[in-house]
């Protein structure tokens, strides 16, 4: 294609047109902060870990101890959750460390997307465990108020009757969170995903 | 105080800065974005520099880091649509005065290159830089055969963009 030869000739001559930076300019540049996607993912992920765990710590439940006595398996879930969080943090940093700009483009993007996925799994885990605990408190407090009104005989019916609206509420919350993340990371990871797909397409 | 490492890095980067300028030219549309990407590439190169052993040329090493930054790490501050912006793009003005017909052709060529996606741009960039297919394949993480196939497709695509009616 002779047009491409023409382009190549022009491209290689174009070097002369760039405004040359001095050593002083470059020196100033290397002391500036990076604003790369990886850096943003790290910041947002740390924020997510902090916020999600902070909510639990900042909202002390006055019924907590009594509640745990009533439902010992719940406290097992809470303790298990700490191990799971530690596991997620470990996996996150382990994957984060594998991101290297010296890898080829395909591996680099794969590692970034994998690291980000760990955080997504962590969020899903939180939604599940949060939903599980919320479901218990919700049904429990319903039963409690039912008991206080003195009609103890028909608790089970109402307990189960509340499951349906509860499930709808949970689904709505999950949908909301999902949409939020779609918006946040759609913008963030869109380019990465497009480029990764393009590389995969070349290889298929 | 400049350390020895900083000093040798800055010196080598200054000597090889045109590599980065050319990548910025390909992946950005205006002067501000060009500077922005140049800075990010410089930071990434500097961060990776302690791992640069000197067993390859600085320029070869810089190609990979710079392209990776443009394709993967760089986050545009504002979203832009690929097809818009060419007219105002001072990057893509033919440098040398050819005859009128060639100049027109070059304008069209740059416009067509500008419409390619990030990965296609990376391939055409390495082609224009006279890189062999082994290096192109290694940089992108694809096989050499597929790099050739893709390059031929891009050439076809450019041809089509130059001649939409197929004349």
């Amino acid at each position: 294609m002779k047009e491409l030869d023409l382009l190549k000739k022009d491209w290689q001559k174009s070097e002369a047109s760039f405004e040359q930076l001095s050593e002083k300019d470059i020196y100033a540049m290397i002391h500036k902060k990076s604003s790369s996607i990886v850096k943003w993912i790290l910041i947002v992920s740390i924020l997510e870990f902090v916020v999600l765990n902070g909510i639990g710590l900042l909202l002390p439940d006055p019924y907590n101890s009594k509640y745990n006595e009533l439902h010992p398996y719940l406290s097992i879930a809470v303790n298990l959750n700490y191990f799971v969080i530690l596991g997620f943090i470990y996996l996150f940093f382990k994957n984060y460390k594998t991101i290297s700009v010296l890898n080829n483009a395909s591996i680099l993007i794969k590692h970034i997307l994998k690291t980000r996925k760990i955080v997504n799994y962590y969020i899903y885990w939180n939604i599940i465990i949060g939903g599980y605990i919320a479901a218990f408190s919700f049904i429990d407090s319903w039963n409690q108020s039912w008991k206080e009104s003195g009609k103890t005989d028909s608790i089970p019916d109402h307990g189960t009757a509340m499951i349906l609206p509860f499930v709808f509420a949970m689904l709505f919350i999950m949908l909301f969170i999902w949409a939020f993340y779609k918006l946040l990371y759609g913008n963030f990871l869109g380019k990465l995903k497009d480029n990764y797909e393009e590389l995969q397409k070349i290889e298929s | 105080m400049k350390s020895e490492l900083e000093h040798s890095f800055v010196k080598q980067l200054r000597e090889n800065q045109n590599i980065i300028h050319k990548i910025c030219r390909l992946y950005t549309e205006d002067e501000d974005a060009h500077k922005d990407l140049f800075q990010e590439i410089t930071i990434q190169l500097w961060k990776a520099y302690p791992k640069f052993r000197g067993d390859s040329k600085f320029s070869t090493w810089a190609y990979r880091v710079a392209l990776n930054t443009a394709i993967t790490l760089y986050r545009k501050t504002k979203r832009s649509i690929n097809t818009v912006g060419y007219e105002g793009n001072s990057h893509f003005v033919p440098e040398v005065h050819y005859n009128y017909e060639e100049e027109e052709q070059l304008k069209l060529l740059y416009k067509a290159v500008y419409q390619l996606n990030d990965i296609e741009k990376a391939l055409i960039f390495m082609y224009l830089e006279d890189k062999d297919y082994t290096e192109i394949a290694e940089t992108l993480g694809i096989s050499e055969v597929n790099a050739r196939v893709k390059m031929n497709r891009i050439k076809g695509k450019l041809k089509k963009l130059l001649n939409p009616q197929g004349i």
Side-chain angles (χ1 to χ4, degrees):
Chain A
M1 193 179 173
K2 72 175 192 338
E3 293 95 332
L4 269 181
D5 292 333
L6 180 69
L7 180 68
K8 200 185 240 185
K9 209 165 90 187
D10 185 71
W11 176 263
Q12 287 174 352
K13 279 183 183 166
S14 72
E15 288 201 352
S17 69
F18 295 120
E19 199 185 310
Q20 296 295 292
L21 295 175
S22 68
E23 290 195 6
K24 206 177 147 201
D25 296 331
I26 297 168
Y27 183 76
M29 265 184 192
I30 63 176
H31 288 280
K32 290 201 170 136
K33 290 256 180 288
S34 156
S35 59
S36 75
I37 283 179
V38 173
K39 190 153 187 204
W40 278 106
I41 287 176
L42 178 69
I43 292 170
V44 171
S45 302
I46 290 174
L47 273 176
E48 280 163 347
F49 278 122
V50 170
V51 169
L52 281 172
N53 288 302
I55 290 172
L57 291 173
L58 286 171
L59 295 173
D61 184 355
Y63 303 108
N64 209 5
S65 53
K66 199 182 158 202
Y67 201 72
N68 284 343
E69 274 170 37
L70 282 168
H71 303 287
Y73 38 89
L74 255 188
S75 79
I76 293 169
V78 170
N79 286 327
L80 178 76
N81 198 23
Y82 287 122
F83 283 103
V84 174
I85 291 167
L86 286 177
F88 272 117
I89 292 174
Y90 168 74
L91 279 178
F92 176 78
F93 280 104
K94 195 174 153 232
N95 277 284
Y96 179 75
K97 285 259 179 220
T98 62
I99 298 172
S100 163
V101 75
L102 297 172
N103 274 325
N104 66 49
S106 181
I107 293 179
L108 174 65
I109 303 179
K110 200 161 99 189
H111 284 172
I112 297 173
L113 292 176
K114 206 175 150 201
T115 304
R116 183 54 231 171
K117 227 178 225 168
I118 301 282
V119 185
N120 283 354
Y121 290 145
Y122 176 69
I123 289 157
Y124 296 150
W125 168 258
N126 267 283
I127 293 173
I128 291 167
I129 202 98
Y132 174 73
I133 292 169
F136 265 105
S137 345
F138 194 86
I139 293 167
D140 246 31
S141 62
W142 179 266
N143 286 349
Q144 194 65 32
S145 60
W146 197 258
K147 252 186 226 164
E148 276 161 14
S149 67
K151 300 168 191 164
T152 45
D153 41 329
S154 53
I155 296 166
D157 281 351
H158 281 85
T160 39
M162 278 316 289
I163 288 174
L164 206 63
F166 172 76
V167 166
F168 276 117
M170 273 311 293
L171 280 178
F172 181 75
I173 293 166
M174 279 167 155
L175 195 74
F176 179 78
I177 295 170
W178 177 81
F180 173 75
Y181 277 101
K182 205 76 193 156
L183 271 177
L184 181 65
Y185 289 109
N187 179 27
F188 236 38
L189 301 177
K191 174 180 152 173
L192 280 189
K193 281 183 179 155
D194 288 351
N195 287 344
Y196 192 62
E197 269 165 29
E198 179 69 19
L199 284 169
Q200 299 290 93
K201 230 165 57 193
I202 296 173
E203 281 300 84
S204 63
Chain B
M1 270 295 284
K2 288 183 191 181
S3 73
E4 195 59 42
L5 197 70
E6 274 178 342
H7 186 72
S8 74
F9 174 78
V10 169
K11 189 171 168 280
Q12 291 193 79
L13 189 81
R14 190 186 59 78
E15 286 163 4
N16 290 283
Q17 62 177 290
N18 280 335
I19 297 171
I20 309 174
H21 279 306
K22 281 185 277 190
I23 290 178
C24 293
R25 180 194 198 199
L26 200 57
Y27 283 94
T28 62
E29 293 123 56
D30 56 52
E31 217 37 55
D32 281 349
H34 183 120
K35 281 183 189 156
D36 207 33
L37 178 57
F38 193 103
Q39 180 170 312
E40 189 59 45
I41 291 173
T42 304
I43 294 170
Q44 294 300 333
L45 281 165
W46 169 238
K47 267 166 56 180
Y49 191 61
K51 284 184 193 147
F52 173 63
R53 305 241 178 271
D55 44 6
S56 61
K57 264 167 53 188
F58 182 85
S59 59
T60 314
W61 176 80
Y63 271 109
R64 174 173 284 210
V65 177
L67 266 179
N68 265 339
T69 307
I71 296 171
T72 309
L73 303 177
Y74 177 59
R75 221 179 138 252
K76 282 178 195 164
T77 35
K78 53 177 189 258
R79 285 218 140 197
S80 54
I81 304 151
N82 270 351
T83 45
V84 182
Y86 165 74
E87 298 305 332
N89 187 358
S90 56
H91 289 58
F92 289 94
V93 177
E95 302 299 338
V96 183
H97 288 282
Y98 302 88
N99 62 48
Y100 178 75
E101 198 192 327
E102 281 189 343
E103 231 168 88
E104 281 305 300
Q105 221 168 15
L106 272 172
K107 269 189 197 165
L108 283 172
L109 273 164
Y110 278 120
K111 193 174 177 178
V113 167
Y114 196 67
Q115 287 173 18
L116 298 173
N117 69 38
D118 285 355
I119 303 297
E120 291 167 337
K121 277 181 183 170
L123 275 143
I124 204 88
F125 169 75
M126 287 188 276
Y127 169 83
L128 292 175
E129 292 288 305
D130 271 334
K131 298 284 167 195
D132 57 35
Y133 280 101
T134 320
E135 197 177 333
I136 295 177
E138 273 175 11
T139 307
L140 292 176
I142 56 179
S143 74
E144 214 176 306
V145 180
N146 286 331
R148 273 177 206 277
V149 172
K150 184 65 187 175
M151 193 62 218
N152 282 332
R153 285 209 191 122
I154 296 170
K155 285 181 189 170
K157 199 170 167 182
L158 283 178
K159 227 174 200 168
K160 223 172 156 186
L161 285 167
L162 282 177
N163 258 328
Q165 280 91 32
I167 310 159

